[in-house]
Amino acid sequence: MKMNIIKKIVRKFGVDIIRYSNDSAGHSKVEEKEEQVPLISKEEASKILASVGRKSGIPTFTYFERPHKSSLLMEEAENLWWNSHGNLVEKVWVLSDPVNYKYRNDYVSKAAAFFKGDKNTKAKVLDLGCGSGWFGRMIADEHLEYFGMDFSATQIEIANKKKETSLNKDYLNYYCLSDIKQLDNLNEITGVVIHAFLHHLYWEDLDNLFSELGQILPVGCKFFIVEPTYPDPLVKQNGSDVFLKILQDYLANYREYRGKLKRQLIKDGMYDTQTASELNNIVSESDLNGFFLSPKEVPFRIGEFRSFLDKYLEIKNVFACGIINLETAQFIDRITSRELQDHYSELLFPVANTIDRILLNNNYFESDQSNYIFTSFEGVLKKIN
């Protein structure tokens, strides 16, 4: 029997490839399993791309059309890639808790406010593929009960261990499940979090996913979705050429300053250069093979994604999560001293967030259309006929 799409997604993005441990200071961390997985050759990649109608030779991080339907070759390649690189992606993307909270607090706080709405009614929020449960630890309180589900027993173990030290632990629930229907009282769920996995799906799977969610969740259920998006082609930026040049210079100067800090930290032996090198290696591998990063990843054009969501959700709000705050967070997270991490968090995040607000308020996106930003979508589930 064909696995339903929700079960398939939770299984895929809860791949059990990491393990939990504590360092000597008691800080949680993720360690790699000692398992070597062969990489995908350029010849194999060409066959994989051809199986879904994509052409090889497209530079990495460049937009390409999302195929309608996946193939067995593509699914196998995606699983192989995550088994090989999942530990590194976990480390780069999830970040340590203090840095993660600084980076994501703004848009996660907006999600919490959206879900709560009328505080006379308690929100019950489901997080599909919750991983280590960080989203829940940031939003749960007496007005919002959080239910995180993931297929990975290791990830749920991490979530439950961190839950025990959380002030809001009474409102946190984590489940190791392969099928959403294993949850009780789905009709009571008032909100759903989908955080940055839809861009791994092609149009057929996206339609199947939202059709299934529409069948098992109540009409009016709120959705908070975060995905990487490109600006639509030919979108004109606000302001004069002179003003845009000032914004570009402002951004360049910030990045130059951060680069100087990084070089000094490397010189002092206080920066994790190994992670940066490993990440560069897999970016180079993806570039060679014609993948975005993993074989199936395709960030959305914001217009095409909005049109897709309009079929299933009544969109209430759309806003960018930032332009440079993620790269700032990844820089700070690579600093090996917790004391210095705290110092540079206090120094850089206010600057990065201010720059982001100026850029976004002026509809500024870097002129190269191959650059994407993370965008949040707030919507309410429609009645699907």
Side-chain angles (χ1 to χ4, degrees):
M1 182 179 295
K2 183 179 178 181
M3 188 192 314
N4 68 47
I5 187 63
I6 298 174
K7 183 176 180 180
K8 176 181 175 183
I9 288 167
V10 174
R11 178 185 293 272
K12 177 180 292 183
F13 295 99
V15 177
D16 198 0
I17 53 176
I18 61 172
R19 57 194 170 110
Y20 175 86
S21 67
N22 288 322
D23 61 20
S24 58
H27 302 132
S28 61
K29 62 180 180 178
V30 171
E31 296 182 346
E32 296 186 11
K33 287 185 176 179
E34 296 180 359
E35 180 179 359
Q36 296 296 320
V37 181
L39 302 182
I40 299 167
S41 70
K42 187 174 182 180
E43 292 74 20
E44 291 170 323
S46 295
K47 294 178 182 177
I48 291 161
L49 293 173
S51 72
V52 295
R54 278 175 49 193
K55 296 179 180 178
S56 59
I58 300 175
T60 208
F61 296 111
T62 299
Y63 177 81
F64 46 80
E65 293 295 328
R66 181 180 308 277
H68 172 69
K69 187 175 183 178
S70 190
S71 69
L72 181 60
L73 278 176
M74 181 59 80
E75 295 298 326
E76 289 175 345
E78 182 81 349
N79 290 334
L80 177 66
W81 192 95
W82 280 97
N83 284 333
S84 178
H85 300 309
N87 293 301
L88 179 62
V89 174
E90 172 83 9
K91 186 161 53 174
V92 170
W93 170 238
V94 174
L95 309 171
S96 60
D97 273 357
V99 176
N100 187 47
Y101 283 34
K102 289 277 188 180
Y103 158 48
R104 294 188 167 110
N105 183 63
D106 184 54
Y107 73 83
V108 173
S109 296
K110 291 178 181 177
F114 173 63
F115 284 134
K116 290 174 185 176
D118 181 3
K119 290 189 177 180
N120 291 324
T121 303
K122 187 171 184 176
K124 295 188 176 183
V125 175
L126 171 65
D127 188 349
L128 294 176
C130 67
S132 59
W134 63 267
F135 204 107
R137 293 193 297 276
M138 291 180 70
I139 66 171
D141 61 21
E142 66 272 20
H143 302 292
L144 190 155
E145 188 172 9
Y146 170 91
F147 301 85
M149 63 173 291
D150 203 287
F151 179 78
S152 169
T154 303
Q155 291 278 17
I156 295 302
E157 180 186 357
I158 295 172
N160 279 320
K161 286 187 177 182
K162 291 190 173 186
K163 168 184 171 178
E164 290 307 309
T165 60
S166 299
L167 295 177
N168 55 355
K169 66 180 182 179
D170 291 342
Y171 312 106
L172 291 169
N173 306 277
Y174 295 108
Y175 303 92
C176 183
L177 301 173
S178 59
D179 190 342
I180 190 174
K181 293 177 184 177
Q182 292 176 261
L183 283 175
D184 295 330
N185 302 323
L186 281 168
N187 61 314
E188 297 179 7
I189 294 294
T190 63
V192 172
V193 174
I194 299 179
H195 196 277
F197 67 72
L198 296 180
H199 66 289
H200 292 265
L201 306 180
Y202 294 161
W203 293 121
E204 182 181 65
D205 276 349
L206 286 166
D207 276 314
N208 289 340
L209 169 63
F210 277 86
S211 293
E212 288 187 20
L213 290 172
Q215 293 169 15
I216 61 179
L217 294 171
V219 173
C221 184
K222 296 179 179 180
F223 278 69
F224 187 84
I225 299 170
V226 178
E227 291 293 334
T229 64
Y230 295 98
D232 285 326
L234 305 179
V235 171
K236 291 186 178 181
Q237 297 165 339
N238 293 339
S240 66
D241 291 340
V242 173
F243 183 64
L244 291 177
K245 179 65 167 58
I246 292 172
L247 292 180
Q248 290 171 334
D249 289 344
Y250 198 21
L251 184 54
N253 288 336
Y254 169 77
R255 284 174 168 155
E256 181 181 357
Y257 172 69
R258 200 182 61 216
K260 288 179 181 178
L261 293 178
K262 178 179 176 180
R263 289 190 291 274
Q264 185 61 50
L265 288 165
I266 292 173
K267 183 179 179 181
D268 294 340
M270 303 296 288
Y271 195 80
D272 177 10
T273 56
Q274 181 179 348
T275 295
S277 176
E278 290 173 354
L279 181 60
N280 287 336
N281 286 340
I282 67 171
V283 169
S284 297
E285 175 202 345
S286 297
D287 193 32
L288 179 68
N289 287 336
F291 303 149
F292 172 80
L293 190 59
S294 75
K296 282 195 69 178
E297 282 189 77
V298 188
F300 296 95
R301 289 274 190 215
I302 192 167
E304 69 175 7
F305 190 49
R306 174 65 186 266
S307 295
F308 168 80
L309 292 177
D310 281 340
K311 294 190 293 184
Y312 300 97
L313 306 177
E314 180 184 348
I315 301 300
K316 299 293 187 180
N317 192 22
V318 178
F319 59 90
C321 298
I323 293 176
I324 61 171
N325 52 9
L326 175 56
E327 60 190 66
T328 299
Q330 290 174 331
F331 162 72
I332 293 171
D333 207 51
R334 299 284 72 78
I335 298 172
T336 55
S337 161
R338 178 60 60 82
E339 183 179 356
L340 283 177
Q341 279 190 0
D342 292 342
H343 170 73
Y344 284 114
S345 289
E346 295 299 322
L347 177 68
L348 294 181
F349 274 120
V351 177
N353 291 336
T354 298
I355 294 173
D356 274 349
R357 280 193 292 271
I358 294 171
L359 297 175
L360 294 170
N361 287 343
N362 289 279
N363 196 29
Y364 173 84
F365 300 99
E366 295 182 69
S367 57
D368 183 352
Q369 289 284 319
S370 69
N371 285 303
Y372 67 89
I373 59 175
F374 282 88
T375 305
S376 297
F377 299 81
E378 297 175 347
V380 175
L381 187 64
K382 295 178 181 178
K383 182 177 181 179
I384 309 299
N385 296 324

